Amino acid sequence: MLRSVVLATGLATVLVASLTACGGGDAEPRPAPARPAPAAAEEPDGVSATEPGTALEHGDAATLVWKPAGDLTGALDLTVETVQERRASVFDGWALGDSMQEARPYFVSVAVTNVGGTDLAGQAVPLYLRDDRGRLGAPWTVGGDFTPCQSGPLPEPFAAGASAEMCLVYLAPDGARVEDMVFEPTEGYDPISWAGDVSGPPRVRQRPGR
């Protein structure tokens, strides 16, 4: 059975991969999609967006306004709650392509609330992992049978007032480590960032007598 992991739209050098349960999986780097041209998203009535360039800590909320599509404005309250490094073994049963063998997995938990007036069902939030080499990586959309972290776009439906707790999967390539999480919807946008403690991978439980 094919298990797919699809990369959401990214802003920097990112990877697109397929993971398969029965071998033969492959992962080859591709150039990121072109960034959207800088365009200011107007704040919906009653919404006050967090200033670009704001530096936050894990647990802090920001109000994000961006244009997921030309005729759609999104407004979210978003909190980066925790960032956890995971072991590669979290993908046991999934065959990683060669280019992903050195990638470092991170699970990021976020809380989101739709504070605008439009349904954001299925939209990807431009929240990126910035690694310690300055690269941005987009979250992966993972098949529904990946129980450790149901990563993907916003739920469907996700109307005004809707809230959700989400887990997002990120892969830092070439053994890099997370620096911070950033909201950067367009090129030239001064990103809103979240930094804080990163929990290490869970300890491997030792067998008795070892």
Side-chain angles (χ1 to χ4, degrees):
M1 179 180 65
L2 180 66
R3 294 178 175 179
S4 61
V5 175
V6 181
L7 190 63
T9 301
L11 292 180
T13 301
V14 292
L15 300 174
V16 177
S18 289
L19 305 182
T20 66
C22 303
D26 189 25
E28 294 299 332
R30 295 181 185 177
R35 300 193 205 189
E42 295 185 6
E43 296 176 359
D45 291 342
V47 174
S48 179
T50 300
E51 287 292 327
T54 299
L56 302 169
E57 296 182 354
H58 296 170
D60 293 338
T63 300
L64 313 177
V65 176
W66 85 107
K67 295 183 75 66
D71 58 350
L72 179 66
T73 296
L76 285 179
D77 280 349
L78 184 146
T79 303
V80 174
E81 297 180 324
T82 62
V83 177
Q84 183 184 48
E85 181 184 336
R86 299 300 300 260
R87 299 185 189 278
S89 59
V90 74
F91 294 116
D92 282 354
W94 300 63
L96 289 174
D98 291 343
S99 62
M100 299 308 297
Q101 294 297 327
E102 300 301 320
R104 194 182 302 274
Y106 288 92
F107 289 178
V108 178
S109 62
V110 299
V112 291
T113 299
N114 186 348
V115 295
T118 57
D119 192 336
L120 297 176
Q123 297 295 332
V125 181
L127 180 71
Y128 300 91
L129 182 147
R130 180 161 54 188
D131 68 27
D132 56 6
R133 303 174 196 180
R135 299 170 298 188
L136 299 183
W140 293 65
T141 294
V142 184
D145 57 349
F146 187 69
T147 57
C149 185
Q150 292 289 310
S151 186
L154 293 170
E156 298 186 32
F158 200 68
S163 295
E165 295 278 342
M166 301 178 64
C167 178
L168 301 174
V169 173
Y170 294 84
L171 294 173
D174 306 320
R177 294 184 181 275
V178 61
E179 183 71 23
D180 53 11
M181 303 301 300
V182 299
F183 171 78
E184 187 173 337
T186 60
E187 185 176 14
Y189 183 94
D190 190 6
I192 297 167
S193 63
W194 287 262
D197 293 337
V198 176
S199 59
R203 292 185 178 182
V204 176
R205 182 174 296 178
Q206 297 292 328
R207 294 180 181 178
R210 297 188 65 183

